[in-house]
């Protein structure tokens, strides 16, 4: 203990090298673990029940097993169906033999296993049993070599063992040992208790110290289960308290009212609209208009299926704010989408976007993205800071501290589900600014409440009239004649003046494995890549004479712009792309959408992709190529996709299918969030209870002073989300 208490830091704040030595600390830092607190908060992914040491003879396909066995031999070879290597390890428990398989792109990591698993080595192996050609095996099992040659302590084995998220060369046992070293030194008084006593009693939760012990050193399964429950409550309470407190602070600041003006830009824009607004667009427009006219800051979510016309709603709101002397910002998740918004909004506005050059009615519209040149950026920043720019459109670069928007009155987030939790927090943290978030993906209530606190919801339920139909067909990717027909259809469509998107799951064939590809047992060709596909199509006689463009995320902004322009004007009417075109891209002439390896995409992603066509009056055709065998969840997902174009119905079906254990596609919970225990989709009950308590606590004492533990934890969480968000810009 004296090693850590000398410099006034608490044990939890101590850097790991003080407590564990430089070598272990360095290894753990690869997992982002720097302090004792980081390490103690490194939550086990799951627990292996060694009490159920299964004799190999009892193992069945699909079982999760832990066995003690002896290595008989190993063999390594290149794989047959795809690049990479395969290591086979034969083990035996004395009665039955079984094989282990490990795969890797290079032979190096496999050589590491081979070295540790020499013939005669006794180890504990755990994993899920699968069968391959009638033989049972474990794929990529976790294992621990038993140094004493198999003389295993029965009590030790009966204990549920935590398995930690680990890294190459930082296996779960290293983490377990490091945590054990620390737990030996920890006293109950070292562990702060963020949960108010009343809250703990009400929900029957373990104390902080006991929970920590239960999490890392459970004696029984019930120990870690109770510990996890308490951790979930703790995270939920801290998160909800942060949100409620922010809500309180935001509501305490008035927004400047920006009422609609009959003689303003918004009215002039309405008068020159080339189409009639749908009823939904008008209704939602009125709701937003009233919000903007009041001095209470707006927090509104606009849900509307792909193609329902959310951009116009956003633009009309922005114009009203500009009419009232304010500035408006439109935030898009990708550069492609930000640029498109900029182009379509300036063109819809026409001379109204000329900043009052031609008439006294007008405003300036500017674009800001992270990859713009220094000079252009400086100019835009200057105009925005000077108040000359009324509407600023951009990517998350807009959230940077360098961007001063002195009269910011309305912030609009398009396709909000593509932003991380912390970025949304950053937006909410601007007092007095009206916030409109838009999404085509319906958000579950708890998520909405977690992401935004209190918010009003508007919906666009109809699509604008006169939209072409879209037919969706699932094409078995293994049938050559069908696939040939796909490319003929593309050629016919383009000849008739249409445009075709071809979407691939990866950029080039050498891309990192995504974990979604085939295994040696279930061979399928490698996932299609933009590079290969474009190459093949350029050589395909069916497409002779048709220029084929490619678009991927890492391309330069100039290239992206020119490729999109060539696609739009028909110079390069076939565009092979990654899912960069997934959200928001609006090319009315686009009529055909080909999705390669469609079985590897999530349902909402497929829906978004299909939303790129059928936006004009021409009918659209979506062909989804699939390798999914009949009866799999992937095949069912595709069947649902072909069955309906209704995004809300699809979202429901998606939830049902997910519940069956298949989670593909982007998670809405935000990859950058700090939640370690809480699962926003699953822990609805916990979140709701925590929210009720947070409301009560903040109402009682907004500064949380009666509960110093909670106050400290909440302040730390707020600091962290600010730092994180700054760090990302
Ligand atoms: P989303 O809701 O998916 O963002 P957009 O705002 O991109 O949809 O609109 C899709 C297309 O529909 C755009 O080309 C837009 O100009 C057009 N559109 C929007 N509203 C109407 C309307 N009321 N009538 C006809 N077309 C419309
Ligand atoms: Mg849109």
């Amino acid at each position: 203990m004296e090693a850590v208490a000398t410099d006034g830091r608490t044990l939890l704040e101590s850097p790991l090298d003080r407590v564990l030595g430089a070598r272990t600390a360095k290894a753990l830092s690869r997992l982002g673990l720097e302090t004792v607190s980081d390490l103690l908060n490194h939550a086990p992914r799951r627990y292996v029940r060694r009490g159920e040491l299964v004799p190999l003879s009892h193992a069945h396909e699909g079982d999760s097993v832990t066995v003690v066995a002896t290595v008989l031999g190993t063999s390594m070879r290149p794989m047959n169906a795809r690049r990479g290597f395969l290591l086979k390890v034969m083990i035996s428990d004395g009665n039955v033999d079984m094989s282990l398989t490990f795969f890797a792109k290079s032979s190096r990591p496999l050589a590491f296993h081979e070295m540790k698993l020499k013939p005669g080595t006794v180890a504990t192996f755990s994993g899920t049993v699968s069968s391959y050609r009638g033989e049972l095996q474990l794929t990529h099992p976790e294992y621990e070599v038993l140094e004493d040659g198999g003389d295993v302590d029965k009590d030790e084995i009966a204990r549920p063992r935590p398995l930690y998220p680990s890294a190459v060369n930082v296996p779960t046992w290293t983490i377990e040992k490091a945590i054990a070293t620390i737990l030996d030194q920890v006293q109950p008084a070292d562990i702060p208790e963020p949960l108010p006593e009343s809250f703990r009693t009400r929900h029957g939760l373990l104390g902080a110290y006991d929970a920590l012990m239960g999490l890392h050193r459970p004696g029984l399964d019930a120990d870690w289960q109770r510990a996890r429950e308490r951790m979930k409550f703790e995270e939920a309470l801290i998160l909800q308290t942060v949100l409620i407190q922010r809500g309180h602070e935001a509501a305490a600041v008035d927004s400047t009212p920006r009422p609609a003006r009959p003689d303003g830009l918004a009215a002039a824009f309405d008068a020159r609209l080339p189409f009639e607004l749908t009823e939904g667009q008008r209704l939602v427009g009125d709701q937003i208009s009233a919000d903007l006219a009041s001095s209470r800051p707006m927090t509104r979510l606009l849900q509307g299926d792909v193609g329902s016309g959310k951009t116009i709603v956003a633009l009309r709101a922005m114009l009203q704010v500009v009419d009232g002397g304010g500035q408006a910002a439109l935030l898009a998740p990708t550069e492609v989408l930000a640029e498109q918004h900029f182009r379509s909004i300036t063109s819809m506005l026409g001379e109204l976007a000329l900043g009052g050059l031609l008439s006294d009615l007008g405003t300036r519209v500017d674009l800001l993205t992270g990859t713009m040149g220094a000079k252009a950026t400086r100019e835009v920043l200057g105009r925005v800071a000077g108040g000359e720019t009324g509407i600023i459109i951009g990517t998350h670069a807009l959230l940077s501290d360098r961007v001063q928007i002195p009269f910011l009155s309305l912030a609009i987030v398009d396709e909000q589900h593509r932003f991380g939790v912390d970025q949304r927090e950053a937006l909410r943290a601007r007092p007095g600014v009206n916030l409109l978030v838009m999404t085509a993906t319906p958000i579950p209530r708890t998520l909405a409440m977690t992401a935004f606190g209190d918010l009003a919801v508007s919906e666009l339920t109809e699509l604008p009239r006169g939209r072409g139909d879209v037919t969706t067909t699932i094409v078995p990717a293994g049938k050559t004649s069908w696939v040939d027909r796909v490319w003929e259809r593309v050629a016919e469509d383009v000849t008739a003046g249409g445009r075709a998107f071809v979407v691939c799951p990866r950029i080039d064939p050498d891309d990192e494995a995504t974990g979604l590809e085939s295994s040696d047992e279930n061979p399928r060709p490698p996932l299609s890549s933009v590079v290969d596909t474009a190459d093949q199509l350029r050589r395909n006689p069916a497409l002779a004479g048709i220029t084929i463009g490619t678009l991927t995320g890492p391309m330069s902004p100039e290239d992206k712009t020119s490729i999109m322009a060539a696609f739009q004007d028909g110079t390069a009417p076939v565009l092979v792309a990654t899912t960069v075109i997934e959200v928001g891209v609006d090319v009315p002439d686009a009529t055909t959408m080909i999705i390669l390896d469609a079985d590897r995409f999530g349902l909402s992603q497929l829906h978004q992709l299909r939303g790129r066509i059928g936006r004009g009056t021409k009918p659209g055709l979506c062909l989804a190529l699939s390798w999914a065998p009949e009866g799999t969840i992937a095949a069912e997902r595709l069947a649902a996709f072909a069955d309906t174009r209704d995004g809300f119905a699809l979202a429901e079906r998606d939830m049902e299918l997910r519940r069956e254990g298949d989670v593909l596609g982007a998670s809405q919970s935000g990859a950058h969030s700090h939640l370690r225990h809480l699962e926003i989709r699953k822990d609805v009950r916990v979140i709701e209870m925590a929210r009720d308590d947070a409301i009560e606590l903040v109402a009682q004492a907004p500064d949380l002073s009666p509960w110093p533990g909670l106050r400290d934890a909440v302040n730390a969480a707020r600091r962290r989300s600010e730092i994180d968000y700054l760090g990302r810009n």
Side-chain angles (χ1 to χ4, degrees), residues 27-91:
L28 292 171
S29 77
R30 255 179 271 156
L31 288 162
L33 308 174
E34 307 290 346
T35 65
V36 168
S37 163
D38 291 344
L39 182 57
L40 291 182
N41 279 310
H42 193 61
R45 192 155 39 85
R46 62 190 174 90
Y47 295 82
V48 281
R49 308 199 35 173
R50 299 212 170 169
E52 294 170 5
L53 269 185
V54 175
L56 287 180
S57 58
H58 285 133
H60 295 290
E61 193 175 353
D63 286 351
S64 217
V65 300
T66 303
V67 295
V68 173
T70 309
V71 176
L72 298 177
T74 61
S75 70
M76 187 167 5
R77 62 169 173 84
M79 278 188 264
N80 301 327
R82 44 193 291 258
R83 289 161 6 107
F85 291 83
L86 181 152
L87 172 69
K88 230 177 162 62
V89 179
M90 292 306 299
I91 58 169

Side-chain angles (χ1 to χ4, degrees), residues 280-290 313 316 320:
Q281 285 171 324
R282 208 164 327 117
L283 215 79
V284 172
D286 289 346
Q287 290 170 339
I288 296 172
S289 176
V313 174
R316 293 177 73 234
Q320 177 172 335

Side-chain angles (χ1 to χ4, degrees), residues 275-278 281 305-311 464 467 586 615:
F275 43 69
E276 259 189 58
L277 294 176
T278 64
Q281 285 171 324
D305 207 349
V306 287
S308 59
K310 294 183 289 293
T311 317
R467 284 288 164 79
D586 184 36
R615 299 174 81 83

